[in-house]
Amino acid sequence: MIDIKAIRSQFPILDQKVNGHPLVYLDNAATSQKPLGVIDALRNYYLESNANVHRGIHTLSQIATEQMEAARKKVQRFIGARHDHEVIFTKGTTEGINLIAYALTPLISEGDEIIVSHLEHHSNIVPWQMLCERTGAVLRVIPMDGNGVLQLDFLEKILNEKTKIVSVNQVSNALGVINPIEEIIAMTRRLSSAWVVIDGAQSVPHFKIDVQSMDCDFFVFSGHKMYAPMGTGILYGKEAVLEKIHPFHGGGEMIHTCSFEKTTYAALPFRLEAGTPNVGGNIALGAAVDFIESVGHSFIQEHEEALLAKAQKQLSEIGGLKIYAEKAPRTGVVSFTIEGAGIASDAGMILDKMGIAVRTGHHCTQPIMDFFNIAGTVRASFAVYNTLEEIDVLTEGVRKAKRMLL
């Protein structure tokens, strides 16, 4: 049986005190803490094998190249990609979506339609709006109901031969709602020839991903939300689709030949990875994959479900607390407001004085907040190193915040 204490021992940052209280870190949907294996991988790269990759014939360059390409293969296995060259290193989910939106621009025409959902992070809205501005395409939105559940009957009505892209998240960062992406993808395949983009930033840390069985065209996620360093991420794309799209950045690494008359591009994945990569970060991303697999997806999912269930139960017993998407399938997040207590940040500051780190505000999902007619929520989000005892601390902290604010 896996011991939570043993897991927590790999995260020394959790041992500190904040404002005189033991740190209770519940802001994992914003970024997760990093285990020693990830920190050591990054540190060891700079201590022992710091060199640029792929083009060097000297030993350090070859070692760094082998380590980074080994990380790419780990990610390939981790998400179930068919080929390692379908795995593109990025700076994170935002860059991945922007890469896709820019690279597909020549393939989008005026009057084409792009579909997103009401549950999206701004990073899965703004790049598509920009694509519409460049091309004259039209953005359409899958609405949600009062429980935060997408209304797929509306999606079925708007899918048609003009639909070129359907882009949705697998899990809402603001509410934790798990979207039925298998159903969305199957419906899209049946009613259109659109490319399907899945934002996996909030799903990869919580449960097993298999992009082949999912049958998405693109899958993007960030390293820093799955225990890897900031500035790392992955864009997966089906080989046949990646071969069609235009490079996002031009420069070194992505060329096959370059002259003033004409440049030809390198093969995948390098055609989409211009410039010097974040070698140390990418190697450490591979170490984060190792960490997750060593703990096991089944344990992570079971433990985090227990955290969410306890938080849901105890917070719902506090009178005057509004929990959003309470009846929807969720993972990793409980998002709430204290009725009559002013802005969410007031509660967040009180919790911080007790050593409890949560996120407050609109969580880069203003359309969701507008739907509920609120400025923002208090969001507590969980990771595998959180404990059931920390839920008790959160609950008591929210009770105290409510007493102070009302």
Side-chain angles (χ1 to χ4, degrees), residues 79 81 86-88 211 216-220 234-238:
I79 63 173
E86 295 176 318
V87 174
I88 311 299
V211 293
C216 58
D217 296 292
F218 300 99
F219 188 89
V220 292
I234 295 295
L235 161 60
Y236 157 81
K238 288 182 179 177

Side-chain angles (χ1 to χ4, degrees), residues 152-211:
L152 296 192
D153 55 341
F154 184 85
L155 173 62
E156 188 170 24
K157 292 176 182 177
I158 63 174
L159 280 166
N160 60 76
E161 69 279 357
K162 293 183 179 180
T163 309
K164 292 297 184 286
I165 299 165
V166 175
S167 188
V168 296
N169 60 38
Q170 191 168 15
V171 173
S172 163
N173 72 298
L175 305 178
V177 173
I178 303 172
N179 289 321
I181 58 168
E182 291 82 2
E183 188 176 351
I184 291 171
I185 293 171
M187 189 180 296
T188 301
R189 298 283 183 242
R190 178 165 51 86
L191 298 173
S192 78
S193 58
W195 294 293
V196 179
V197 182
I198 301 298
D199 171 358
Q202 299 294 337
S203 57
V204 168
H206 301 298
F207 44 79
K208 178 66 177 172
I209 302 298
D210 187 335
V211 293

Side-chain angles (χ1 to χ4, degrees), residues 7 10-12 33-40 226-228 287-288 291:
I7 292 175
Q10 300 180 58
F11 297 85
Q33 300 302 334
K34 321 306 173 193
L36 287 172
V38 168
I39 295 169
D40 288 344
M226 52 166 283
Y227 312 106
F291 167 76

